[in-house]
Amino acid sequence: MQIQMNLPLRILALLLAQLMASMGVALYMVADMGIAPYDSVAIINACFNGPLIQFFKTKLERFYK
């Protein structure tokens, strides 16, 4: 069974994703984990995407150390 992604369903998915991202940013800011919420976005993305972005992860780790 495949779900057809029509416009209302896409808008709902967009709103849910925006809510989740906003909550993540808010938690990041409240915990005082860096200068801005986007400080760790590239590092987290590299961790979840694995070897496809391993090169960039290595570069970021060298930059932040």
Side-chain angles (χ1 to χ4, degrees):
M1 184 172 146
Q2 187 175 8
I3 298 173
Q4 186 172 357
M5 293 293 289
N6 54 15
L7 186 59
L9 191 55
R10 286 183 182 201
I11 292 172
L12 178 65
L14 175 69
L15 293 175
L16 288 174
Q18 181 63 41
L19 177 67
M20 291 173 58
S22 298
M23 291 301 294
V25 168
L27 290 172
Y28 188 89
M29 291 169 63
V30 168
D32 288 330
M33 295 177 66
I35 298 171
Y38 52 83
D39 287 345
S40 66
V41 169
I43 295 170
I44 292 170
N45 188 28
C47 290
F48 281 114
N49 287 323
L52 294 176
I53 307 182
Q54 188 66 31
F55 174 76
F56 298 109
K57 178 182 174 188
T58 304
K59 292 293 184 182
L60 285 172
E61 287 176 348
R62 288 181 185 168
F63 179 74
Y64 283 112
K65 284 185 181 179

